Structure formats: structure tokens, C-alpha cells
Amino acid sequence: MTADRTAASAASASGSPRAGLIADTALALLAERGMRGLTHRAVDEAAGLPLGSTSNHARTRAALLKTAVRRLAQREAEVLTPDEMPRTAGAAPDGADPVAGTADALALALHRSLTAQRDLLIARYELALEATRRPELREFYDATGRGFREPLEAMMTALGSAEPRRHARSLVAWCEGLMFSCAAGADHDAVPDRATLRTGLEELLRGMLDG
């Protein structure tokens, strides 16, 4: 999706604030043009806003990048609805297999990220690389990322993991490797279907939990 289309979509959304429009446009520009293409002026133009609007919201480049990271985390957190979230042993219906249910939910989230939200992945990689050069962004990026890793540790604990922290890291590494390969690596033209993702995730989870 181009930056113009993303901006138009955000602008037409009911009650969408200007801050959200600026953040969404920044992410779209990162995916479309890379880090060099993200400027305050470019955001104003792509979003159809008066010149200076983005500077008023985020005065410095560092502030604009943090705005993009914050919005990225919000949008990635929305990849699953509450009803689609993984069911752990205590929350699964009687007779349901919580590992299979967790694998299914995670496969759905991964498939959506690799298809409908592929541009978000590209933007995230741009921001992650930039964070390696900006200590203030690195700290902010890492703090935002903990909001995803900590629930995964809790999920692994609920599934019966003896080492939830290590297992959560392994799960993240598996997912991150697959997403990079399919979004920007050698498998960019061969996105696995949901069933294939589910099989891989279930194999991984059972291998960790049975080990």
C-alpha cells in the first residue's frame, strides 16, 4: 500500500486524530521509501496536511521516529482480536488442546502479518536498524518490544514450560526469522499458508514443552 493510500484511509476513518494520521503516514513512508524518505515535509505531503503539521506534532526527527515506533506497536498488537488470542491450559474449553489452540492463534497472527500487514514488517525492520545507530531510539524501541515478549513468557508459563523465558525467546526467534525471510529475505515470494504455519508452530511448542 502506498503512503498516499494509507494516509487517505486514516483520514477517512471515523474520529481519526491528526496524530494517528501522521504516525500511520510515517510508517507507510518507511515501508515505501526507506529511512531516507521519512521527513517531516514528506509526511505532511503524503498525508495531505498543511506544511508544518508534522513538525508541530513531533518537532525533531527522534520524536518522529518514536511516534512511528509507538504506532507500530499499537497496530501490531491489533493483529488478533481478544476472542482470537491464544487459549492457555486454564482458559481452554474442556477437552481442548491448549497447545494446538495456541499454535492456531499464533499462525493466524503470523499469516496476517505476512499478508495484510507486510508493509508494517518492512517499516519495523527500518526502525530496528535505525535504533542500532540512535541510543535514544534503541531504549524506546526495546521498551516497546518488552510489551510483546512479557505476555509470551506468561503464555509459556501457563502452557507448562519449565523455562518460560528461554522458550519465549525461542518462539520469538522462530517467528522473527520466518517473518524476515518472507518479508525481505529469500522467501519473499513464498509466504506459507496458515496451515503450514500452524504445523511449524505446533512442532516448535510441543518440542519445547515435552523436552
Side-chain angles (χ1 to χ4, degrees):
M1 180 180 289
T2 65
D4 291 341
R5 289 175 185 171
T6 299
S9 176
S12 64
S14 176
S16 178
R18 178 172 290 191
L21 174 59
I22 288 171
D24 282 336
T25 304
L27 290 173
L29 285 170
L30 284 169
E32 184 179 333
R33 306 179 190 177
M35 191 58 64
R36 291 184 179 180
L38 178 64
T39 66
H40 289 76
R41 185 183 185 91
V43 174
D44 287 338
E45 291 175 349
L49 294 172
L51 291 181
S53 298
T54 301
S55 294
N56 287 335
H57 173 71
R59 292 199 170 275
T60 65
R61 182 167 180 81
L64 181 57
L65 292 172
K66 288 182 178 180
T67 293
V69 170
R70 186 181 298 110
R71 180 58 176 150
L72 175 70
Q74 291 172 346
R75 289 178 61 181
E76 288 187 332
E78 295 168 356
V79 71
L80 287 181
T81 67
D83 289 342
E84 295 169 330
M85 294 294 287
R87 300 289 185 91
T88 55
D94 290 343
D97 182 349
V99 174
T102 298
D104 187 58
L106 294 177
L108 175 59
L110 268 178
H111 193 257
R112 285 175 176 167
S113 294
L114 291 170
T115 53
Q117 296 190 347
R118 182 179 179 278
D119 285 355
L120 280 185
L121 289 179
I122 302 300
R124 175 147 67 88
Y125 299 142
E126 291 283 349
L127 289 165
L129 288 172
E130 188 67 9
T132 66
R133 309 178 188 102
R134 292 176 174 264
E136 75 283 2
L137 184 62
R138 175 85 276 165
E139 182 179 356
F140 187 77
Y141 185 96
D142 290 349
T144 303
R146 283 193 290 273
F148 291 93
R149 291 193 299 273
E150 290 170 359
L152 285 178
E153 288 184 27
M155 180 192 76
M156 294 308 301
T157 298
L159 287 173
S161 168
E163 298 183 68
R165 182 178 177 83
R166 182 172 67 83
H167 287 160
R169 286 180 176 271
S170 295
L171 178 59
V172 169
W174 189 91
C175 293
E176 290 283 4
L178 186 141
M179 287 190 293
F180 182 84
S181 180
C182 292
D187 293 324
H188 63 90
D189 59 347
V191 174
D193 59 26
R194 183 178 168 187
T196 300
L197 293 171
R198 184 193 305 116
T199 298
L201 283 160
E202 188 168 350
E203 288 173 346
L204 177 65
L205 288 170
R206 293 198 188 282
M208 292 189 294
L209 296 170
D210 294 340

